[in-house]
Amino acid sequence: YKRPSLAGPVPGQADFRATIGERLPLVIGIVLVLAFLLLLVVFRSLVIPLKAVVLNLLTTAASYGVLVAVFQWGWGDALLGLSEPVPIESYVPMMMFAIVFGLSMDYEIFLLSRIAEAWHRTGDNRLAVGEGLSATARVISAAALIMTAVFLSFTASPTVVVKMLALGLAISVIVDATVVRLVLVPSAMFLMGRT
């Protein structure tokens, strides 16, 4: 007896969700390893790429947490025009991870390149971190503000998935540009330079 196959949108959606759930850890792992290797080659350090990967995961986790709080727990859902909590679409975490990781690495390389240039010129870690931060902080903040405004404008969309992506990306950019790039990365670079 051969078991019959099911067709239609509901079984197709279930298969799609199962496939995304199985592949998400693999996708995240591949991206993290490739980013680690790229930063290892560029900066010739084991600690810098490890720090970058951990902080990027922090940004991603923060944005996932906000999505769960807003869309599944219903915190502030009325502000987004939602009448009740809704499940997060299966492909939203994967898309968010890819976009957020790309933006985070862009900021990371921009900031660390300025710090490295100042360090090669002065040999003083404290001065290098200060110069790198002062050279990039305004640009990072301005770019993050523009992207956040653009992403938040999409929360007015009637499509729930668009609202999810827009809010998740806006929170990611805010957390990454303020907490991670302008506080945690310079602090970590300063402390690592002392050891």
Side-chain angles (χ1 to χ4, degrees):
Y1 175 73
K2 188 174 179 182
R3 191 173 168 187
S5 298
L6 297 177
V10 174
Q13 187 72 291
D15 288 345
F16 179 71
R17 286 184 180 142
T19 302
I20 293 288
E22 291 169 7
R23 303 248 170 101
L24 183 60
L26 178 64
V27 169
I28 290 174
I30 289 171
V31 171
L32 293 178
V33 167
L34 290 176
F36 180 87
L37 293 174
L38 175 67
L39 290 174
L40 181 67
V41 169
V42 171
F43 293 105
R44 297 181 187 141
S45 166
L46 287 172
V47 179
I48 288 175
L50 184 61
K51 170 201 56 72
V53 166
V54 169
L55 291 179
N56 284 328
L57 285 174
L58 172 75
T59 299
T60 304
S63 61
Y64 286 176
V66 170
L67 284 186
V68 169
V70 172
F71 291 96
Q72 290 187 335
W73 296 348
W75 294 5
D77 54 358
L79 296 173
L80 294 174
L82 300 173
S83 57
E84 60 185 7
V86 295
I88 295 171
E89 278 294 329
S90 56
Y91 58 87
V92 167
M94 187 178 292
M95 286 183 64
M96 276 184 50
F97 176 77
I99 296 168
V100 168
F101 204 84
L103 292 172
S104 297
M105 288 321 264
D106 188 33
Y107 290 156
E108 179 81 8
I109 291 173
F110 181 52
L111 174 59
L112 291 182
S113 297
R114 299 294 84 77
I115 292 173
E117 287 172 5
W119 188 83
H120 288 304
R121 191 177 66 253
T122 65
D124 183 343
N125 182 57
R126 182 177 186 163
L127 185 61
V129 171
E131 282 187 23
L133 184 59
S134 66
T136 59
R138 277 179 275 196
V139 176
I140 290 173
S141 299
L145 185 60
I146 291 167
M147 284 190 289
T148 301
V150 170
F151 290 143
L152 286 177
S153 71
F154 283 101
T155 59
S157 170
T159 307
V160 176
V161 174
V162 174
K163 289 179 188 288
M164 285 179 193
L165 284 168
L167 182 65
L169 292 172
I171 295 300
S172 299
V173 169
I174 290 168
V175 169
D176 194 71
T178 56
V179 176
V180 174
R181 301 301 148 209
L182 300 182
V183 177
L184 296 179
V185 170
S187 301
M189 294 303 292
F190 177 74
L191 293 173
M192 286 189 298
R194 295 174 59 184
T195 57

